[in-house]
Amino acid sequence: MPLNVLFAARPERWETYETPLRAALKAAGVDAHLAQDIAPETVDYIVYAPNSTLQDFTPYTRAKAVLNLWAGVEGIVGNETLKIPLARMVDPGLTRGMVEWVTGHVLRHHLGMDTDIQRSDAKWEPRTLPLAEERSVVVLGLGALGAAVCTALLGLGFRVSGWSRSPKDIAGVTCFHGPDGLNTALARAEIAVLLLPDTPATQNTLNAQTLAGMPQGAFIINPGRGPLIDDDALLAALDTGQIAHATLDVFRVEPLPKDHPFWTHPQVTVTPHIAAETRAITASRVIVENICRSEAGQPLLHLVDRALGY
Ligand code: NAP
């Protein structure tokens, strides 16, 4: 009997994922019927994007797991109809994309590239650029993405610190954890990179009080989630110069509403949630590996802790 694998995402994603998923299933020797429409009571696994129309899992009585295509799970983790295990996406392709995006924006701010590029008055004013070893970068969130970003920044020579919920030991990274560690970490954040999940405990991690505790003229780079930052507090800190610039990829409401002050603030860079996308070929292998693990009675990789919310 083939396994019934339901693909529950926006219909246009099917074109991207069908071939890689079939190839990954075949490569792993999994006999599966993969489709966008399968009788709910016969589905074994659900490959899922939280913006799918599937929001009620009650009829999926035989399903063994929901395998999320996204790293972020805030759109599904609180779904009370979901009673089966939920795995989030940790995809090597997505991780590489995030490392490249963050590294690019860290270097942009570290080197003051905007200053050099945007000058239009024909003044020739050479300056000595700082070296990475003179710059302290703090990464909030030391999970799959945060840890990879730390390693890349270390490789460039930055002084790297990080903050997480539980204690971490990452070679070369000064690690802080828990509520008490946040202020200590932020006090050294000349550049702060936010790679936390959106949970009740992480919302407004950057607020008036924590922003005030950062070095004056610090830079913020947020590819995590919009609710990690109190928007009004950030705008106030930008206006006083406490924060020199914020590069924001994610927002409380997406697309960012046309009248939001972030669009026009001279010290804000808005990018349209493009920092890192799940890559179909590598992600399909991760999905199929989890199906194989589940069928073999092994624990799922990247299992979400529903109580913690990530
Ligand atoms: P992850 O592996 O689950 O890592 C999350 C990290 O956040 C962990 O280090 C965790 O600490 C820490 N954390 C969670 N709650 C915390 C708290 N209350 N206090 C301090 N630290 C806390 O997640 P990931 O795969 O790295 O992804 C991180 C986030 O990036 C995703 O949730 C998503 O929102 C975002 N993302 C954005 C894009 C984009 O294109 N913009 C793409 C992909 C992902 P522990 O290690 O102690 O558990």
Side-chain angles (χ1 to χ4, degrees), residues 88 142-145 163-166 168 197 223-225 249 276 310:
R88 64 195 187 81
L142 295 173
L145 300 176
W163 179 67
S164 52
R165 187 182 52 80
S166 57
K168 288 278 179 299
R225 282 293 183 260
D249 185 56
Y310 72 100

